[in-house]
Amino acid sequence: NNNSEKRATIIMPGGYDGSTEEVYYSCGQAAIKRGYNVLIVDGPGQGSTAVLRNRLFGTHSSDYKAVMIAAVEWLKGNRGENTDLTKLALVARSFGGFLGVKMAAATLPVDDNNVTLAAVALDPMQVDFKKAVGPKMMLPPGGLELIKEKKYKELDALYKPLIEQMPLIRFQVMSRA
């Protein structure tokens, strides 16, 4: 923005299998139009870190606290004159809502002081991902039994034709692989 008025900044992490580009179009663009600065980030195993750096997805608190601290440190060094670090917010959607809890808990050191978030919005805040997804997980016939019996090679064989023939199934399975 060309004007020198200081503005609030929203930090937005991605979800489980999404990308920063998706976050931009689903939330970031609207926030920018409303006068906010926006910083969209990927953590370990999300978006570009999964595809370009082959990082595995992790949900340890320290992983996402580190992402939040790095985002704030980046803002500190690159914010320009129009970012008000006393007006930081976190908006996290989808599985990002679960990660956002961990990010919001981080201590944010800026200019030898700690910064607190002015607002946190988590949609949905998933406290128990396994419970939230488990009953809804779509498996081909016989898939659940193969998982329970730990017959993973048979499960792979069951999925292989589906992945090869159905683009949506391929995306859903491979983006989470």
Side-chain angles (χ1 to χ4, degrees), residues 71-137:
V72 171
E73 288 293 326
W74 185 88
L75 284 170
K76 176 183 165 185
N78 297 284
R79 66 181 183 242
E81 296 299 316
N82 67 352
T83 299
D84 184 347
L85 288 178
T86 67
K87 295 179 182 177
L88 284 179
L90 175 68
V91 173
R93 298 184 63 234
S94 188
F95 194 68
F98 174 78
L99 303 173
V101 171
K102 297 167 184 301
M103 294 173 76
T107 300
L108 308 172
V110 175
D111 297 330
D112 299 323
N113 296 307
N114 289 332
V115 171
T116 56
L117 293 168
V120 176
L122 308 173
D123 172 32
M125 188 192 89
Q126 297 173 355
V127 178
D128 187 341
F129 184 66
K130 183 177 179 184
K131 187 182 274 185
V133 173
K136 299 175 189 171
M137 186 168 41

Side-chain angles (χ1 to χ4, degrees), residues 34-108:
R34 288 168 175 78
Y36 294 95
N37 295 321
V38 173
L39 176 60
I40 303 171
V41 298
D42 283 331
Q46 292 177 286
S48 65
T49 65
V51 175
L52 302 176
R53 296 186 182 153
N54 201 27
R55 292 286 308 269
L56 298 178
F57 191 77
T59 57
H60 300 293
S61 296
S62 60
D63 292 337
Y64 291 89
K65 285 182 182 181
V67 171
M68 188 63 168
I69 291 167
V72 171
E73 288 293 326
W74 185 88
L75 284 170
K76 176 183 165 185
N78 297 284
R79 66 181 183 242
E81 296 299 316
N82 67 352
T83 299
D84 184 347
L85 288 178
T86 67
K87 295 179 182 177
L88 284 179
L90 175 68
V91 173
R93 298 184 63 234
S94 188
F95 194 68
F98 174 78
L99 303 173
V101 171
K102 297 167 184 301
M103 294 173 76
T107 300
L108 308 172

